[in-house]
Amino acid sequence: MTLYLGGMGHDHAHHNHNGHDHPGHRHGHPHVHAGHAHVHAPARFGTAFAIGIALNTGFVLVEAVFGIVSDSVALLADAGHNLSDVLGLVVAWAAAVLGRRAPSARFTYGLRSSSILAALFNAVFLLVAVGAIAWEALQRFANPPPVAGPTVITVALVGIAINGITAWLFASGRRDDLNIRGAYLHMVADAAVSAGVVLAGIVIVLTGWSWVDPLVSLVIVAVIVAGTWGLLRDSVTMSLAAVPPGIDPAAVRLCLAERPGVAEVHDLHVWSMSTTETALTAHLVMPGGHPGNSFLGECAQVLRERFGIAHVTLQVELAGGPACALAPDHVV
C-alpha cells in the first residue's frame, strides 16, 4: 500500500523591470528572481514512519524478552541493533517534518537541507552498524558460539516480516528522495540480515556447521556496503552543494545560452536545497535589456521541465557596462 497524504507545491515570481538597485542586487545590475517552486517535502510518508517506528520498537521488545528468556546473547545484540534502526527512522522522519518548516529571517530557505543531513547520518550509521556485524562475525570464526536454533530462527523470521513491511512502505519514494532512500535501505539491510540468520540457523541445525553463521554474516555485510555506498556518496556531495546526480551543468548552461536575447551565461550554480528540491542561480548578459516577465517565466518553466530545477534565480546584466566581478569561472 502506497500512502499519499498530501504535499502540493506552489509557484510565484518576483521581477524587477528597472535598473535601480535595492538590497540584494549585486554589481548594480537588475536582479531577477523567477520560477520559485517552493515544493514542500511531501507528507505522504508520515504514516509510513509512524508504522515503521511502532513495528520496530515492538520487535526490539520481543527480541529483548526472548533473548533474556533463552539466554541468547545473539538475540540481545540484535535487539540493540534494531534499536538503532528505530533511531534511524526517527532521524529521517524528523528531517522530513523539519523540511516542511516555513522560511524564517535566519533560515531563509527553511530547514529543507535537514533531509540531506538525515540521509548522510543514516548512511554513516548503517556503515558503522555493518562494521560491528563484520567484527562480530570475524570473532565468531575463532570461537563459534552455540546457536539457539528454533528460537533464533523464529525471531529472525519475524524480523524479516517487520523489516520487509517497513521497507515496502518506503519503496515508492526511494528513487525521488535520498532521505526516504536511506530509511528504505536501512530496513532492507535488516531484512537481509534476518534472512541470513534464518538460512544460517537452518544449515547449522541440520549439519552442525557453526562456521556458516559468521560466513553468511560477512556475505550480507558485503552486500549492504555495496548498496549503501551510493547513499553515502550522494548525501556527501549534496551536503557540499554539488550539482545533483542526473543534472548536466553544461546542458543547463547551454539551455540558458540558447534563450532568445542571451549573449552570455556566467556565475551559474546548481545545487540541492533538499533531497527532493534543486535550486539554480545564474547571470544572463542580455544586450537588448530586460526581457520582461514572460521571458523569465519561460526560462523557469524550461528548467523545471528539462532538469527538474524548481527554484530559479536569474540576474540580468546589460552588455558594455562594468565587468561583472563574478564572471570568471574560478570566482565564487
Side-chain angles (χ1 to χ4, degrees):
M1 177 179 67
T2 304
L3 306 171
Y4 294 93
L5 303 178
M8 236 180 148
H10 62 278
D11 295 342
H12 59 83
H14 299 294
H15 310 300
N16 180 21
H17 289 284
N18 56 51
H20 301 297
D21 291 343
H22 63 73
H25 289 185
R26 292 179 295 183
H27 325 304
H29 301 295
H31 177 258
V32 179
H33 209 43
H36 285 224
H38 295 306
V39 183
H40 299 294
R44 58 177 175 152
F45 291 104
T47 302
F49 278 118
I51 293 174
I53 291 171
L55 287 176
N56 281 273
T57 301
F59 185 50
V60 167
L61 295 176
V62 169
E63 272 196 311
V65 169
F66 274 94
I68 294 172
V69 171
S70 63
D71 196 25
S72 172
V73 177
L75 281 179
L76 289 174
D78 197 47
H81 170 68
N82 282 303
L83 186 60
S84 72
D85 299 337
V86 175
L87 175 60
L89 287 175
V90 169
V91 169
W93 192 8
V97 172
L98 289 174
R100 296 193 297 272
R101 292 280 294 273
S104 66
R106 183 176 185 185
F107 298 99
T108 56
Y109 279 124
L111 298 175
R112 288 169 168 79
S113 60
S114 58
S115 60
I116 299 175
L117 296 179
L120 179 58
F121 171 85
N122 263 321
V124 173
F125 203 45
L126 189 54
L127 290 175
V128 171
V130 297
I133 293 173
W135 177 256
E136 178 65 21
L138 292 173
Q139 298 296 315
R140 289 187 181 188
F141 269 119
N143 186 23
V147 178
T151 301
V152 173
I153 292 173
T154 301
V155 174
L157 284 171
V158 175
I160 293 175
I162 289 177
N163 290 313
I165 290 172
T166 306
W168 176 54
L169 292 172
F170 295 112
S172 64
R174 71 186 188 278
R175 299 187 186 278
D176 301 322
D177 187 338
L178 199 66
N179 186 34
I180 298 299
R181 181 174 149 202
Y184 169 80
L185 286 177
H186 219 132
M187 295 301 102
V188 168
D190 287 338
V193 171
S194 296
V197 170
V198 171
L199 292 176
I202 292 174
V203 172
I204 291 172
V205 168
L206 294 177
T207 65
W209 298 342
S210 298
W211 53 267
V212 171
D213 180 45
L215 177 63
V216 170
S217 296
L218 289 177
V219 172
I220 292 172
V221 163
V223 172
I224 293 173
V225 169
T228 307
W229 188 253
L231 175 67
L232 178 64
R233 179 195 62 230
D234 291 346
S235 57
V236 167
T237 55
M238 277 189 176
S239 66
L240 294 175
V243 176
I247 295 181
D248 181 2
V252 174
R253 181 183 294 273
L254 180 62
C255 175
L256 288 173
E258 290 178 341
R259 306 309 298 164
V262 176
E264 180 191 338
V265 178
H266 60 258
D267 196 36
L268 173 65
H269 299 279
V270 183
W271 74 98
S272 296
M273 294 177 62
S274 71
T275 52
T276 58
E277 297 172 276
T278 304
L280 172 148
T281 61
H283 293 190
L284 307 181
V285 178
M286 305 189 71
H290 193 286
N293 288 1
S294 60
F295 171 86
L296 300 170
E298 289 171 4
C299 285
Q301 182 178 355
V302 169
L303 290 170
R304 186 183 302 110
E305 291 175 352
R306 292 190 187 178
F307 306 101
I309 301 172
H311 189 110
V312 176
T313 304
L314 300 175
Q315 177 166 304
V316 175
E317 300 173 358
L318 303 180
C324 177
L326 297 179
D329 289 338
H330 67 277
V331 177
V332 177

